[in-house]
Amino acid sequence: PGDDGTSPADGLTRSDGPVPSRARGTGAAGADLAAEDGTSPADGPVPVISPLVRRLARENGLDLRELTGSGPDGLILRADVEYALRAAAVQGRAAEPATEPHARVAPAPATAALPQTPGGIRVPLKGVRGAVADKLSRSRREIPDATCWVDADATELMRARTAMNAAGGPKISVLALLARICTAALARFPELNSSVDLAAREVVQFDHVHLGFAAQTERGLVVPVVRDAHARDAEGLTAEFARLTEAARTGSLTPAQLTGGTFTLNNYGVFGVDGSTPIINHPEAAMLGVGRIVPKPWVHEGELAVRQVVQLSLTFDHRVCDGGTAGGFLRYVADCVEQPAVLLRTL
């Protein structure tokens, strides 16, 4: 359980940075794509943005199945193929003799250059862990991120939750209240509910909030997505968080439930830490991190008192907005945490 009296079953989940899985395309169109690059439908068709991109990969001997696309639902863009080819060329030049005319296209495993030392343990980066590594690396490589943070007095938010739950009906989770605050803040600062289209050099702002939340499971880290979170109240958000969390634990989440997020809420307070600098869930533009809620000395109404304090951190893509917008978003979130009545203006 977290220090705020809730547990992962209430929707508060462990996370050190989300990495959603990508689903391969299916259907007749997918089968046609598979036929082009020599794979069978059983191998899983690879979604590619255009035949030109597929031909570029084929002519250079690049296996598209080894790539993670940056487009919608894992769609492989030309930029993805070109980056993979550049990386392969660099590794090929380092690995091949100087007399060989062409560098190898397929990159050698990163562990191949490391000596086999006795007494050590090698853990393959594959499956969920491998997807996590790829996603985090891509986020760090492509997104010029920045982080701002603020401490907030969550005493009134916790009292509001207690009053809601005392009134009867389904229990409301703290995560649901924070999610409701996030959707209200995104309505005021839509720049943070967006994605960067590198190919078109455009920032795409979404008219909906598909809210991802990080969930730590025995199989690894996953990020289920609450569709249309902006249209749900606190009770509806609590129920959806609980449903998706249970599906994550049982391994029954579908690809559709793991993709398409536009903003991520990351609770790392369950680890017993106060702060963090979250890594953005590529290709989203921002993530709100929430630390543990703990009693701390705080100046309240001019006097020193013990209050329930939480640290909030926002990591954002500096291409979509400047610090003023990011700071305005975070300050609004903190104001709602400190005075939940502020939300009434947007209800």
Side-chain angles (χ1 to χ4, degrees), residues 253-330:
L253 287 170
T254 66
Q257 292 172 323
L258 289 166
T259 57
T262 64
F263 185 90
T264 296
L265 176 60
N266 184 5
N267 169 56
Y268 43 76
V270 292
F271 290 122
V273 298
D274 297 326
S276 177
T277 54
I279 298 178
I280 294 174
N281 184 16
H282 184 281
E284 296 171 15
M287 178 190 298
L288 179 70
V290 182
R292 59 177 182 161
I293 301 176
V294 291
K296 288 184 178 180
W298 188 268
V299 177
H300 176 65
E301 296 181 349
E303 295 185 359
L304 188 64
V306 176
R307 306 286 286 180
Q308 298 292 319
V309 179
V310 61
Q311 185 177 103
L312 306 169
S313 58
L314 177 72
T315 297
F316 63 100
D317 186 336
H318 224 313
R319 296 171 299 179
V320 307
C321 70
D322 294 326
T325 299
F329 172 93
L330 188 58

Side-chain angles (χ1 to χ4, degrees), residues 83 131-143 279:
Y83 178 85
V132 168
D134 292 342
K135 196 74 169 179
L136 296 181
S137 296
R138 181 163 197 172
S139 180
R140 280 291 192 225
R141 185 172 63 244
E142 296 185 5
I143 299 178
I279 298 178

